[in-house]
C-alpha cells in the first residue's frame, strides 16, 4: 500500500498545524507533558517581555502555546529530554511567523 502512494506534483497537504499540534500534545505521556509545560511557560513569559507582545499576539496566545509544541527543537526536548531550546530567543520570531489573521478561524 505504501508503494502505491504518490505525492501530488503541484501541492503538498500537511493538514491543519494547530489541530496536529493539539493531537500531538494529547498523545504525550505525563513526563513529556511536564517538559512541554515548562517550555510553554517560558514561551509565554518570553513573549510578554518582548516588543512583539501586542493585541494580535495576545489574542492568539493559546494557539501559539499549542503550536510551539511542534517546533523541532521543542519536540526533541519534549520527546527525548534533549537540551531545551533557548525559548527567549525563539519566542518573538515564532509568534510573528505563526500569528496570522487566519488563526482565529482555525482556533
Amino acid at each position: 500500500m505504501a508503494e502505491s502512494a504518490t505525492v501530488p506534483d503541484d501541492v503538498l497537504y500537511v493538514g491543519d498545524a494547530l489541530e496536529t499540534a493539539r493531537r500531538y500534545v494529547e498523545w504525550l505521556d505525563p513526563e513529556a507533558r511536564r517538559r512541554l509545560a515548562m517550555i510553554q511557560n517560558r514561551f509565554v513569559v518570553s513573549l510578554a517581555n518582548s516588543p512583539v507582545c501586542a493585541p494580535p499576539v495576545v489574542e492568539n496566545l493559546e494557539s501559539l502555546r499549542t503550536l510551539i509544541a511542534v517546533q523541532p527543537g521543542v519536540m526533541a526536548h519534549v520527546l527525548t529530554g534533549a537540551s531545551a531550546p533557548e525559548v527567549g530567543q525563539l519566542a518573538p520570531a515564532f509568534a510573528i511567523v505563526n500569528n496570522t489573521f487566519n488563526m482565529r478561524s482555525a482556533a
Side-chain angles (χ1 to χ4, degrees):
M1 188 180 337
E3 291 175 1
S4 66
T6 59
V7 177
D9 293 332
D10 57 338
V11 295
L12 178 60
Y13 177 73
V14 293
D16 177 0
L18 188 55
E19 183 58 29
T20 299
R22 285 182 181 138
R23 289 181 182 189
Y24 163 70
V25 171
E26 290 173 8
W27 172 82
L28 295 172
D29 66 40
E31 183 60 24
R33 281 189 190 193
R34 185 190 65 74
R35 286 191 293 269
L36 176 59
M38 288 175 33
I39 292 290
Q40 288 174 319
N41 291 342
R42 290 181 198 156
F43 177 74
V44 170
V45 169
S46 297
L47 278 181
N49 293 325
S50 78
V52 302
C53 188
V57 171
V58 175
E59 287 174 11
N60 292 315
L61 190 56
E62 190 56 37
S63 295
L64 291 167
R65 278 184 81 251
T66 302
L67 285 172
I68 196 71
V70 294
Q71 194 277 338
V74 172
M75 285 184 84
H77 172 69
V78 168
L79 293 174
T80 69
S83 42
E86 181 49 57
V87 179
Q89 294 175 350
L90 172 70
F94 184 89
I96 290 169
V97 169
N98 291 286
N99 190 51
T100 67
F101 65 89
N102 293 328
M103 192 175 290
R104 284 188 209 130
S105 62

